[in-house]
Amino acid sequence: MSESTTAPTEPGRITGVPILLDGVTKRYGSKSAPAVDHLTLEIPAGSTVMFVGPSGCGKTTTMKMINRLIEPTEGSIVIDGEDVTTMNGDDLRRRMGYVIQAGGLFPHMTVAANIGLVPKMLGWDKQRIAERVDELLELVSLDPDSYRDRYPKQLSGGQQQRVGVARALAADPPVLLMDEPFGAVDPITRQRLQDEMISIQNELRKTIVIVTHDIDEAVKLGDWVVVFDEGARIQQYDSPERILAEPANDFVSDFVGSGAGLKALGLTRVNEMPILDAVVVTPEDSPTTAVQKAEAAGHGHVVVLDRARRPIAWPSVAQLRRATALPTRYEPDLPIVGMGATLEDALDTMLVSRAGAALVVGPRGRFEGVVDIDTVMQSLRDNRGAADTGRSPVGTNDAEARIEVAPDTGEITLITPDQVGTGRGRYDDGAAEPSRSDADEGSDSTALPQTSGERP
Amino acid sequence: MDYVTDRWQQILFASWQHFSLVVQCLLLATVIAVGLAMVSYRSERLSNLANSFTAIGLTIPSFAMIGLLIAPLGFGVLPAVVVVTFYAVLPILRNAVVGLNSVPGGVVESARGIGMSRMATFFRVELPMAWPVILTGMRVSAQMVMGIAAIAAFVLGPGLGGFIFSGLSRLGGANSLASVITGIVAVIVVATILDALLILLGRLTTSRGLRV
Ligand SMILES: Nc1ncnc2c1ncn2[C@@H]1O[C@H](COP(=O)(O)OP(=O)(O)OP(=O)(O)O)[C@@H](O)[C@H]1O
Ligand SMILES: [Mg+2]
């Protein structure tokens, strides 16, 4: 990474701003059914919120109302505490990044001109624009010298998409809106772009809204996931873990599909798990010493390591008793996983090797310890009771819900009719605990899977 | 050949007048056509209207059109300019509407999405992208209007039309055939030069990104 003029100096500082959709409705023409129906949605600063849902449910419409490419019929959009519903749309959009499928690059402009367009409109000088262009190309893993002067047609789909992201980030906007950004590339490129997006976001911490209809992508990239039904009705607004582990209703569980548990395995990495100690020996040790060490530790296996602490073999005590010397040749089928592997990969390795456990290696293949199936299962169970740190963002389609913004913290609380006692619908415990069980279709007043402003 | 050498000056001058009339009308027509396209391309109804206008306009015989214009505008350069420009507008208009409509929606959406105003989007994105198609329309117009300018020029004003029609009216008389042929050849030469210039203009004004 080159030195940055506008990007945050210390990685991880939040540069995004909060967004609030307040009772937003969109009707196209005079059609009776609104495309977006009384949507109130909080998008916390610096987080990535994924919009998912079936085709035509209003994801794109909702997102385009944030930068007012589509004007809301009712309601207001508040960005960083400022109501932007009536401000000049072009000015508003210059302060937000916007990326669409296939990048939407201007074919008659070079990569550099595409990226530099917004800074140019904002009146930056040439030198600063050129520096910014190079910096962004590096951020999206494109070599500035070989790509700067190319035209979009001279790029692959994935590269065009990268340039699209770079262009959106050009003026360092606090908000980034992306509509199915990775929909038009092949699965391998898509995965790579997603991984890059994650690392870019770890560095920049913008407020990002991504529309997708791929639940796997939503769960992978999102800090929060909104599952919409027709009319942008929120079915669940929750962390990816909870969406997978505790779908609020049948709609969500159908949408998540089978294998939700397995998807959760893809969310956790080996280095987030407790790694168990093992008895380690070197090939120079005698089998007897190895057996003694194992018995002293109460283990059934020992790990034989080479000088660089890379695993050679993983014999059992029974095998050691029969052996005359410790193995010196690398066993080809050792179940080895890296620290960065997902639990899904780890489980796969264990099942293939039938060992019920796997050796974990760190950088340069150095042995770190062992994970076993029990640890993985335990972590899955823990996930199920998903540790709720902090509150979930607010989201509802309740036309009568009002929001209250704490003047000091900016924290948003939802006031539902139940709470203020104008009560219609069901009384539930001060509405503090969301009723996640209900799946009353069609009723948009109190049938809110996730209405709570605060979680106890 | 004596006919040509004797009148060299006169032929050159008439050719220049012809060229100048066509080029000026072509430029005017381009501005008008792009303007008309600009107001109509985003509506399907107006786009269709523009296309019908082009189709019908091209069926009107130019001679009849000139005759009709003499009544309100009289003789002289003005009606010549009006007629030539009118016909020049038609192919350009059609191509401009087609070209503007073929700009991918995603590109326009991105332009708006990053904060370009409607005007900026039109002039900096849509028009440059439609430009090669518009230029093709201009080349078609230039060729077509060369002949029309000859007719208009004979009836109403200066240009190579004089050679052709004065020759035709005296057909059989001295040098009449030479006069007609001189006029025709000169029109072809002027047309070829203009086409080459338009191709050059295309090279210079079309982004490399649209050609690769
Ligand atoms: N310009 C428009 N005019 C009229 N109706 C529209 C327009 N744009 C969208 N709609 C309607 O609004 C609803 C929501 O559309 P939207 O594009 O937001 O869906 P989406 O969730 O993005 O779907 P997809 O996943 O297919 O992109 C749909 O029923 C659609 O037909
Ligand atoms: Mg969409």
Side-chain angles (χ1 to χ4, degrees):
Chain A
M1 275 302 308
S2 65
E3 285 300 300
S4 143
T5 44
T6 42
T9 39
E10 75 269 31
R13 188 168 60 90
I14 291 179
T15 61
V17 295
I19 301 172
L20 178 66
L21 306 190
D22 189 358
V24 169
T25 295
K26 176 66 191 181
R27 268 191 198 84
Y28 286 109
S30 52
K31 264 199 298 186
S32 51
V36 172
D37 190 11
H38 288 288
L39 176 64
T40 294
L41 190 75
E42 176 197 5
I43 298 169
S47 62
T48 305
V49 172
M50 310 293 294
F51 290 180
V52 289
S55 189
C57 68
K59 306 181 290 291
T60 298
T61 304
T62 303
M63 183 167 105
K64 285 193 186 169
M65 284 193 290
I66 296 175
N67 68 0
R68 302 218 350 262
L69 274 180
I70 293 177
E71 299 286 352
T73 315
E74 274 171 45
S76 56
I77 315 286
V78 180
I79 293 174
D80 202 12
E82 181 192 0
D83 187 337
V84 298
T85 326
T86 50
M87 79 175 280
N88 178 298
D90 294 327
D91 291 340
L92 175 67
R93 287 186 282 274
R94 270 172 224 179
R95 298 182 352 202
M96 295 189 186
Y98 186 62
V99 185
I100 59 170
Q101 196 171 80
L105 299 182
F106 304 133
H108 60 298
M109 295 182 191
T110 61
V111 165
N114 266 284
I115 298 175
L117 204 56
V118 180
K120 200 170 155 191
M121 286 191 289
L122 293 174
W124 294 19
D125 64 59
K126 276 209 172 100
Q127 175 69 24
R128 183 165 168 221
I129 294 176
E131 281 167 10
R132 182 66 180 155
V133 166
D134 286 4
E135 185 185 316
L136 284 160
L137 281 172
E138 268 164 27
L139 181 70
V140 297
S141 314
L142 292 174
D143 174 38
D145 289 331
S146 40
Y147 288 98
R148 184 191 299 128
D149 296 321
R150 291 206 197 179
Y151 284 94
K153 268 191 191 162
Q154 299 165 316
L155 304 176
S156 72
Q159 290 166 342
Q160 291 187 16
Q161 198 62 60
R162 289 193 170 93
V163 175
V165 172
R167 181 175 66 183
L169 291 170
D172 205 25
V175 175
L176 196 56
L177 307 177
M178 308 175 99
D179 195 347
E180 304 197 23
F182 312 126
V185 294
D186 62 89
I188 293 172
T189 309
R190 183 179 314 143
Q191 198 188 329
R192 193 173 308 151
L193 289 171
Q194 288 169 345
D195 292 344
E196 275 174 23
M197 199 62 224
I198 292 172
S199 63
I200 289 174
Q201 171 65 346
N202 282 340
E203 189 179 328
L204 303 182
R205 300 292 304 278
K206 306 274 178 202
T207 304
I208 303 183
V209 178
I210 302 181
V211 168
T212 177
H213 42 234
D214 177 358
I215 184 75
D216 294 320
E217 179 168 276
V219 159
K220 180 173 176 186
L221 296 182
D223 297 316
W224 304 104
V225 177
V226 197
V227 182
F228 285 120
D229 190 7
E230 201 92 328
R233 288 192 187 86
I234 300 173
Q235 296 299 309
Q236 190 167 0
Y237 185 13
D238 231 324
S239 65
E241 289 81 5
R242 291 185 72 112
I243 295 267
L244 292 181
E246 294 172 46
N249 53 36
D250 290 348
F251 181 90
V252 178
S253 48
D254 284 351
F255 196 79
V256 167
S258 56
L262 289 178
K263 285 185 180 112
L265 285 172
L267 284 175
T268 317
R269 302 196 177 270
V270 169
N271 59 11
E272 298 163 29
M273 306 251 312
I275 292 176
L276 310 172
D277 287 335
V279 175
V280 298
V281 294
T282 60
E284 290 79 41
D285 290 331
S286 73
T288 343
T289 344
V291 170
Q292 279 167 3
K293 274 187 167 182
E295 280 173 347
H299 286 192
H301 290 74
V302 299
V303 183
V304 186
L305 301 180
D306 68 8
R307 277 211 191 85
R309 288 190 63 80
R310 286 182 300 236
I312 297 175
W314 195 13
S316 68
V317 170
Q319 284 169 327
L320 287 172
R321 286 192 210 284
R322 277 180 268 122
T324 53
L326 290 179
T328 50
R329 297 241 305 274
Y330 295 89
E331 228 172 78
D333 315 319
L334 277 183
I336 293 181
V337 295
M339 294 288 280
T342 60
L343 292 195
E344 194 177 353
D345 300 333
L347 206 54
D348 200 48
T349 310
M350 291 177 203
L351 293 177
V352 167
S353 77
R354 280 177 282 153
L359 303 176
V360 180
V361 297
R364 294 160 210 268
R366 281 171 58 101
F367 178 71
E368 298 281 348
V370 172
V371 280
D372 64 4
I373 280 194
D374 288 343
T375 325
V376 173
M377 296 326 273
Q378 185 57 47
S379 130
L380 269 189
R381 277 191 291 272
D382 291 349
N383 244 335
R384 214 157 267 277
D388 268 332
T389 49
R391 65 193 190 98
S392 288
V394 167
T396 177
N397 297 87
D398 188 341
E400 285 167 42
R402 294 288 166 266
I403 48 154
E404 215 175 64
V405 182
D408 43 347
T409 57
E411 185 159 310
I412 292 163
T413 323
L414 191 70
I415 316 282
T416 58
D418 306 71
Q419 268 178 319
V420 292
T422 56
R424 58 189 182 104
R426 164 201 56 241
Y427 172 80
D428 50 33
D429 210 11
E433 177 62 28
S435 43
R436 353 180 108 265
S437 56
D438 66 40
D440 334 11
E441 269 135 55
S443 141
D444 61 350
S445 57
T446 50
L448 304 167
Q450 179 69 63
T451 59
S452 159
E454 281 166 318
R455 273 248 196 86
Chain B
M1 274 307 105
D2 283 350
Y3 180 86
V4 175
T5 39
D6 290 350
R7 294 169 182 74
W8 188 237
Q9 285 289 318
Q10 198 192 337
I11 295 170
L12 264 186
F13 183 67
S15 298
W16 170 248
Q17 280 183 318
H18 199 96
F19 179 81
S20 153
L21 174 71
V22 169
V23 167
Q24 289 179 43
C25 291
L26 197 62
L27 291 180
L28 183 61
T30 305
V31 172
I32 294 172
V34 169
L36 287 175
M38 189 175 162
V39 296
S40 55
Y41 79 104
R42 288 207 287 153
S43 133
E44 198 176 333
R45 247 192 41 237
L46 290 177
S47 293
N48 290 337
L49 195 70
N51 282 335
S52 315
F53 173 68
T54 307
I56 294 169
L58 286 171
T59 62
I60 302 174
S62 51
F63 213 81
M65 183 80 151
I66 293 163
L68 285 175
L69 281 178
I70 291 173
L73 299 178
F75 289 88
V77 179
L78 182 64
V81 169
V82 171
V83 170
V84 172
T85 305
F86 173 79
Y87 283 99
V89 162
L90 303 176
I92 305 176
L93 174 59
R94 186 176 50 199
N95 278 30
V97 169
V98 170
L100 289 170
N101 275 325
S102 64
V103 174
V107 172
V108 176
E109 192 188 313
S110 309
R112 303 286 288 137
I114 64 173
M116 292 175 88
S117 64
R118 264 260 45 107
M119 278 293 157
T121 304
F122 182 81
F123 285 107
R124 304 207 19 214
V125 177
E126 296 175 276
L127 193 57
M129 285 181 68
W131 183 240
V133 184
I134 295 175
L135 208 72
T136 307
M138 287 172 71
R139 286 178 59 195
V140 172
S141 271
Q143 302 302 307
M144 191 182 80
V145 139
M146 277 290 165
I148 293 171
I151 300 171
F154 166 64
V155 179
L156 308 159
L160 290 167
F163 286 93
I164 301 172
F165 288 95
S166 68
L168 284 176
S169 60
R170 298 181 282 110
L171 212 56
N175 284 334
S176 62
L177 194 60
S179 171
V180 174
I181 290 173
T182 303
I184 291 173
V185 170
V187 167
I188 292 172
V189 170
V190 169
T192 311
I193 291 172
L194 181 55
D195 198 44
L197 287 175
L198 285 173
I199 291 174
L200 186 69
L201 179 72
R203 281 277 151 78
L204 296 177
T205 54
T206 304
S207 156
R208 214 156 53 78
L210 297 176
R211 280 186 276 134
V212 285

